[in-house]
Amino acid sequence: MTELDGKKRPLITIAASFLLVVCISLVAVQGWSIYSARETQLAQSAAATANMARALADHADSTIELVDIILAGVVDSVQHDGITHYGERLHLHLIDHVGRTPSLQGITIFDASGNWALHSLREPVPVLNNADRPYFIYHKTHKDQLAHVGAPVRSRATGTWVLPVSRRLEDKDGNFAGVALATVHLSFFRTFYDSFDIGKEGNITIATDSGALVMRRPYLQENIGTSIAKEPMFKQWRAGAASESGAVPLDVDKVDRMYSYRPLRRYPLFVAVGLATDETLANWRANAYISTAWVVILLLILNWMGLRLFRQVILRDELEEQLRNAQLALVTKNRSLKLLARNDGLTGIANRRLFDARLDAEFNRATRDGTSLALVLLDVDFFKKYNDHYGHPAGDACLQFIGQCIRTGRRRAGNLAARVGGEEFAILLPNTDLYGAIVVAESVRRSIASAGREHQANPVGIVTISCGVHALVPARGMESKQLVEAADKALYLAKSTGRNRVCPDAPAVSSRRERASILGN
């Protein structure tokens, strides 16, 4: 920017600012779009897990409710008619219930001592006692008639994992008479949970509200019945029981998940559905990478185009600056050339070309106006000998000295001092008569002589000049060369009469006393 022309700098600043605003806007829009898409994806995932948790909770609730209804009917029959009254018939009835209910693993009636009194198995089993089971102990110590859902246990008859649903049996006096137990296949939940697409790292959990694990996908049999009370997922559910969902940054298996929770309506269980954050955001991340790549490409294109534009402006400005410099240099050069064309390169005064032009112009003006025009021709005395004795550099210095004296002695700005030959000089004096020209010539001669510049080849020992002077009022038909020729004759007269003097053209001097005053130098 510092290289640009001052007038263009504000325009470039505006263009650069606009490009910067566009780039920042693109980045901001892309960032907001990515953030919004991420929040939308997480919200959709939360809604999906919440719906799934609700559906699974309703499924579990319905499953247990169906088993409980069957169990309640069995309890009514046993407490109303007794086990022995309808023993075989009730046994067949239990077998029929189990056969028609896929989720039901078995139904067992225990007497007050915990012995098996009746069961739904088709084959006889050894006499077993379940008095040590938590559900049996619970009903023995609690008088409520509601169904009790306990922690998963292994069936002692089949060896499979089951979820116990039990009710208290009482005699006619309200005393404890045993327990009616219905067991639910845990594999029933496993088969149902496997039908859901929750990704490779997804998680479905059903557990009691005390933390006993009923079933989990992915399935590990050794985890059934274990406590998950210390898992982050369970702690979050217990801490935010009023909230249906939440994110677990680092689950027990070191996976980030978004969980949704749903307690069962009638039973002390809850369902949790967790989707892995990485899998949930996989599509978002891929789209974000693609859109960001396009934005980066667009930014690169914009910046490339902007830089090219700025570079072109800078190059154009540089070219214009170079053109201005070239024009300035050309003007300066033309002035120098013009000066060289008009002035003598050694002495700095006008050269022969300018002298000839001015002579013609002033001669024509004097002819037109009827004014006097005078010319002084000067020549350095014995200059060839000066060069031979002192050398050409000293000769050049001498001529420079002579030119300076002539420039100083020309009196008026309108007078022209010029070098018209090697050691020959001229002073053109417009509006000047002969007497005025002689005064100017004498002044120049005296200044040169008084300087006392050494010239051993000159009889007087110093540098001197000889001057020829002529003045006239041009008439129509006359030419400027006549003035030059007359002044040249006067110069010849000055040299032939002893040098170091000022001489007018002889016919131009009207009185003897004027001639004597001029030649008496």
Side-chain angles (χ1 to χ4, degrees):
M1 293 292 292
T2 57
E3 298 177 358
L4 293 174
D5 183 80
K7 295 182 180 179
K8 296 181 180 178
R9 200 169 298 157
L11 179 61
I12 294 300
T13 301
I14 293 174
S17 301
F18 176 75
L19 180 61
L20 180 61
V21 169
V22 170
C23 292
I24 293 175
S25 299
L26 283 175
V27 172
V29 169
Q30 176 64 11
W32 176 253
S33 176
I34 292 175
Y35 174 77
S36 299
R38 183 180 187 276
E39 293 302 306
T40 301
Q41 185 66 44
L42 290 176
Q44 291 175 350
S45 175
T49 55
N51 292 334
M52 189 182 300
R54 185 178 295 108
L56 294 177
D58 290 344
H59 171 266
D61 195 81
S62 299
T63 299
I64 297 175
E65 183 181 25
L66 176 60
V67 171
D68 187 30
I69 290 173
I70 295 174
L71 186 61
V74 172
V75 170
D76 286 343
S77 297
V78 170
Q79 291 191 150
H80 185 270
D81 300 319
I83 298 175
T84 57
H85 185 74
Y86 292 107
E88 185 59 28
R89 183 178 176 182
L90 184 57
H91 178 240
L92 295 176
H93 186 60
L94 295 180
I95 293 174
D96 180 63
H97 275 308
V98 172
R100 290 188 292 108
T101 309
S103 60
L104 191 57
Q105 188 266 347
I107 301 175
T108 307
I109 307 298
F110 301 99
D111 60 19
S113 299
N115 296 318
W116 287 40
L118 190 64
H119 58 77
S120 61
L121 298 177
R122 294 181 180 274
E123 301 295 331
V125 295
V127 177
L128 299 175
N129 187 283
N130 281 29
D132 59 337
R133 291 292 197 185
Y135 55 82
F136 190 89
I137 297 173
Y138 175 84
H139 289 298
K140 190 174 182 179
T141 56
H142 294 74
K143 291 188 176 183
D144 62 83
Q145 298 294 313
L146 300 176
H148 173 74
V149 180
V153 296
R154 267 188 192 277
S155 171
R156 286 175 175 169
T158 63
T160 59
W161 281 98
V162 293
L163 180 66
V165 180
S166 57
R167 282 180 175 268
R168 175 186 172 97
L169 296 175
E170 293 181 348
D171 57 19
K172 294 181 180 181
D173 297 327
N175 297 317
F176 177 70
V179 173
L181 172 69
T183 54
V184 180
H185 284 293
L186 292 189
S187 59
F188 176 79
F189 290 110
R190 178 185 176 187
T191 301
F192 183 66
Y193 293 166
D194 286 343
S195 65
F196 289 88
D197 182 12
I198 57 173
K200 294 181 179 179
E201 299 292 341
N203 184 298
I204 297 177
T205 300
I206 181 170
T208 65
D209 56 5
S210 62
L213 181 64
V214 176
M215 177 58 63
R216 170 175 283 172
R217 176 186 171 189
Y219 175 74
L220 288 175
Q221 182 173 306
E222 58 268 23
N223 291 338
I224 301 301
T226 59
S227 175
I228 60 171
K230 294 183 179 181
E231 291 188 10
M233 177 270 293
F234 184 82
K235 291 180 179 180
Q236 184 188 66
W237 176 70
R238 296 297 289 179
S243 175
E244 291 188 356
S245 63
V248 177
L250 198 62
D251 208 346
V252 67
D253 53 358
K254 310 303 180 183
V255 177
D256 293 343
R257 291 189 179 92
M258 174 68 73
Y259 275 96
S260 288
Y261 307 96
R262 191 74 176 182
L264 273 62
R265 292 191 303 273
R266 290 177 290 269
Y267 305 101
L269 300 172
F270 77 96
V271 174
V273 177
L275 297 181
T277 305
D278 285 343
E279 292 181 346
T280 300
L281 297 177
N283 290 334
W284 165 83
R285 191 176 293 109
N287 292 332
Y289 287 154
I290 294 173
S291 61
T292 300
W294 280 111
V295 170
V296 169
I297 292 173
L298 181 58
L299 288 175
L300 291 176
I301 292 174
L302 285 175
N303 281 275
W304 176 75
M305 294 177 64
L307 290 175
R308 282 188 60 85
L309 175 62
F310 296 154
R311 182 57 182 166
Q312 290 299 319
V313 172
I314 292 173
L315 288 176
R316 182 174 179 179
D317 190 73
E318 290 177 351
L319 290 176
E320 290 179 357
E321 181 66 22
Q322 291 175 5
L323 180 59
R324 287 193 294 269
N325 293 336
Q327 290 175 340
L328 180 61
L330 182 60
V331 171
T332 304
K333 190 68 175 178
N334 287 338
R335 289 176 181 173
S336 299
L337 292 174
K338 187 175 181 180
L339 186 63
L340 290 175
R342 295 164 55 93
N343 292 354
D344 178 61
L346 179 63
T347 61
I349 60 177
N351 59 13
R352 181 60 182 264
R353 179 182 297 176
L354 179 59
F355 172 76
D356 291 340
R358 280 289 299 278
L359 175 62
D360 291 339
E362 293 295 342
F363 195 88
N364 292 334
R365 189 175 66 83
T367 301
R368 184 174 60 254
D369 296 343
T371 57
S372 177
L373 179 62
L375 177 63
V376 179
L377 291 181
L378 306 90
D379 187 85
V380 181
D381 297 331
F382 304 107
F383 185 72
K384 184 177 183 306
K385 293 182 179 181
Y386 187 92
N387 264 343
D388 293 340
H389 185 273
Y390 294 99
H392 289 285
D396 291 344
C398 180
L399 292 177
Q400 290 174 345
F401 164 70
I402 299 297
Q404 180 62 34
C405 291
I406 294 173
R407 182 189 296 110
T408 304
R410 64 181 175 174
R411 297 296 179 91
R412 293 182 303 179
N415 298 339
L416 178 67
R419 182 185 177 194
V420 296
E423 69 274 16
E424 296 180 2
F425 297 85
I427 303 176
L428 184 63
L429 305 165
N431 296 315
T432 304
D433 58 11
L434 180 62
Y435 180 75
I438 292 173
V439 171
V440 171
E442 183 60 23
S443 174
V444 173
R445 186 197 68 78
R446 287 181 182 276
S447 66
I448 293 172
S450 63
R453 195 177 187 90
E454 180 183 346
H455 187 356
Q456 293 184 5
N458 193 336
V460 296
I462 59 174
V463 173
T464 59
I465 62 170
S466 298
C467 303
V469 183
H470 187 69
L472 54 77
V473 178
R476 294 191 179 278
M478 295 182 65
E479 296 180 359
S480 60
K481 66 179 181 179
Q482 293 177 254
L483 177 61
V484 176
E485 289 173 354
D488 189 61
K489 289 180 181 179
L491 176 60
Y492 179 77
L493 179 62
K495 284 184 172 293
S496 62
T497 57
R499 292 186 172 84
N500 190 24
R501 63 189 64 234
V502 176
C503 289
D505 184 28
V509 179
S510 58
S511 69
R512 182 179 299 176
R513 190 169 67 180
E514 184 179 5
R515 179 190 292 272
S517 64
I518 294 172
L519 300 178
N521 297 314

